[in-house]
């Protein structure tokens, strides 16, 4: 009985060992990041990709795919054997899809992902382990208007609700995946003033109407209407550099708020004009004086609150 039990355990252990998936240690060195394009929802990367493995029948760099790449090209592929370890490497240039989150633009933080996925063997046959020690990026990478906050690599598995016709599977299939990621933060202060100076100038010119007697109708109403057109034009300029989005962004808040306050200025001018024509000049002047400080203060405070919220 003991001999039978020992034989059974030996057979079971051999079966268990043979059922273990092959392990591929995968890593990359990113040479360059460039052409971050919000309107086209993409960015480009140039990097070396490598794999370490022990099974000579594997060709892991030949069976990979880049799921989030719009297009890519690979060259300089080679494989070397270092004692009992195989080392495969290739150079990759790719354009990656990126759904930019512009809610906090231009104070936004973005995550750029380079996804590598096994396309042939599922996780029952092959798994990835991240080469975290050697995965790095070239420290001379310079991305215009951005700072690199963090970089890393992690492995996972992704499940698809199909077997792709594989008769050995049922219901779904799961494949190894590696993701290298950059967390980047926009250099926002200069860009913010470049984009929004126009709308702020339009507002502050418009509130100067409260220093013009309401009987001077043309300059009194012309400044507010002109400021409104200037604010609308500024929004078109900002929207032209951003992808279409259903999110209510910081830029939308600033522009919509400016439209509202300019409308308030026009309404107050109408009320002030009515008071003046009814012989209530002092009330008209007092209304203008109070309105200037109230509208200006409230506009500035709301801008500070909106900007503070996205900074947090």
């Amino acid at each position: 009985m003991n001999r039978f039990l020992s034989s059974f355990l030996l057979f079971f252990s051999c079966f268990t060992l043979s059922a273990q998936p092959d392990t591929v240690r995968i890593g990359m060195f990113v040479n360059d990041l460039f052409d971050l394009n919000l309107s086209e929802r993409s960015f480009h990367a140039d990097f070396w990709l490598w794999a370490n493995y022990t099974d000579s029948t594997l060709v892991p760099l030949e069976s990979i795919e880049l799921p989030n790449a719009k297009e890519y090209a690979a060259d300089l592929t080679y494989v070397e054997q270092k004692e009992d370890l195989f080392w495969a490497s290739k150079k990759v240039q790719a354009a990656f899809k990126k759904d930019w989150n512009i809610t906090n633009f231009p104070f936004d933080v973005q995550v750029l992902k380079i996804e590598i996925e096994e396309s042939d063997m599922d996780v029952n046959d092959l798994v990835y382990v991240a080469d975290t020690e050697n995965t790095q990026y070239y420290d001379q990478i310079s991305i215009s208007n951005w700072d690199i906050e963090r970089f890393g690599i992690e492995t996972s598995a992704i499940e698809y609700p199909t077997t792709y016709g594989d008769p050995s599977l049922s219901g779904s299939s799961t494949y190894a995946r590696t993701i290298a990621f950059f967390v980047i933060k926009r250099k926002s202060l200069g860009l913010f003033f470049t984009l929004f100076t126009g709308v702020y100038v339009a507002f502050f010119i418009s509130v100067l109407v409260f220093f013009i007697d309401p009987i001077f109708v043309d300059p009194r109403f012309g400044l507010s209407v002109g400021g409104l057109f200037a604010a609308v034009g500024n929004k078109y300029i900002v929207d032209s550099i951003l992808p279409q989005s259903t999110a209510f962004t910081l830029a939308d808040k600033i522009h919509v708020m400016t439209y509202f306050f300019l409308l308030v200025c026009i309404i107050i001018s109408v009320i002030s004009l009515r008071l003046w024509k009814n012989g209530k000049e002092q009330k008209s002047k007092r209304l203008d004086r109070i309105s200037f400080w109230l509208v200006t203060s409230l506009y500035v405070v709301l801008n500070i609150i909106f900007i503070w919220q996205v900074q947090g």
Side-chain angles (χ1 to χ4, degrees):
M1 177 64 70
N2 290 337
R3 182 179 300 175
F4 174 79
L5 181 59
S6 299
S7 299
F8 176 80
L9 291 175
L10 178 62
F11 172 79
F12 181 78
S13 63
C14 291
F15 176 81
T16 303
L17 289 173
S18 64
Q20 292 295 316
D22 288 309
T23 299
V24 174
R25 187 176 182 85
I26 194 164
M28 69 175 66
F29 182 81
V30 182
N31 297 298
D32 199 8
L33 280 176
F34 57 98
D35 197 15
L36 279 63
N37 194 313
L38 272 68
S39 60
E40 294 185 5
R41 300 177 183 270
S42 66
F43 70 94
H44 287 71
D46 186 336
F47 59 94
W48 280 97
L49 179 68
W50 65 81
N52 300 132
Y53 53 96
T54 56
D55 188 346
S56 61
T57 63
L58 295 178
V59 283
L61 295 191
E62 299 301 321
S63 58
I64 65 163
E65 63 178 6
L66 282 63
N68 67 329
K70 299 172 69 173
E71 57 184 25
Y72 69 92
D75 55 13
L76 303 177
T77 303
Y78 64 88
V79 179
E80 292 185 26
Q81 184 173 1
K82 304 287 186 177
E83 297 180 351
D84 60 345
L85 190 67
F86 289 89
W87 170 36
S89 181
K90 67 164 54 176
K91 182 77 173 297
V92 181
Q93 302 88 32
F96 292 95
K97 295 175 287 185
K98 168 60 182 171
D99 189 12
W100 303 95
N101 183 354
I102 60 170
T103 303
N104 297 335
F105 176 87
F107 299 97
D108 49 328
V109 176
Q110 305 287 346
V111 180
L112 308 181
K113 294 182 179 181
I114 299 173
E115 299 177 2
I116 308 295
E117 186 178 310
E118 169 62 24
S119 64
D120 183 18
M121 296 185 288
D122 69 6
V123 292
N124 295 316
D125 300 315
L126 187 146
V127 294
Y128 286 155
V129 174
D131 187 356
T132 56
E133 181 181 355
N134 295 301
T135 296
Q136 302 289 339
Y137 67 92
Y138 185 42
D139 59 8
Q140 297 301 310
I141 289 179
S142 177
I143 311 174
S144 179
N145 297 321
W146 296 90
D147 288 322
I148 298 175
E149 297 279 295
R150 189 158 58 91
F151 173 71
I153 187 171
E154 56 189 21
T155 57
S156 61
I158 182 167
E159 183 177 359
Y160 294 101
T162 178
T163 64
Y164 297 99
D166 188 340
S168 65
L169 302 174
S170 60
S172 63
S173 54
T174 306
Y175 295 89
R177 171 175 282 192
T178 296
I179 299 177
F181 61 90
F182 286 86
V183 179
I184 59 174
K185 183 176 182 180
R186 192 186 300 273
K187 299 175 182 177
S188 53
L189 195 58
L191 180 61
F192 177 80
F193 284 109
T194 299
L195 294 177
F196 294 99
T197 295
V199 73
Y200 288 143
V201 169
F203 169 78
F204 285 108
I205 288 177
S206 297
V207 294
L208 293 178
V209 299
F210 296 122
F211 294 99
I212 301 174
D213 290 339
I215 55 171
F216 298 108
V217 175
D218 287 344
R220 177 88 185 211
F221 288 89
L223 284 177
S224 295
V225 174
L228 184 59
F229 277 104
V232 172
N234 186 265
K235 188 171 192 312
Y236 277 108
I237 294 173
V238 174
D239 287 348
S240 68
I241 65 174
L242 297 177
Q244 291 185 352
S245 173
T246 57
F248 195 56
T249 66
L250 173 64
D252 293 330
K253 292 178 182 178
I254 291 175
H255 284 103
V256 170
M257 179 178 61
T258 303
Y259 302 156
F260 173 78
F261 276 94
L262 292 179
L263 177 61
V264 169
C265 289
I266 294 174
I267 293 173
I268 293 174
S269 292
V270 172
I271 297 172
S272 183
L273 178 60
R274 295 298 301 174
L275 290 173
W276 190 285
K277 285 192 173 182
N278 289 333
K280 301 177 181 178
E281 291 89 351
Q282 292 304 316
K283 285 187 176 181
S284 174
K285 291 181 178 180
R286 185 163 58 250
L287 174 63
D288 286 345
R289 187 166 57 251
I290 294 173
S291 297
F292 172 78
W293 290 110
L294 183 61
V295 169
T296 303
S297 301
L298 190 57
Y299 182 81
V300 171
V301 169
L302 287 176
N303 268 275
I304 292 173
I305 291 174
F306 290 153
I307 295 171
W308 181 267
Q309 286 175 339
V310 302
Q311 295 273 4

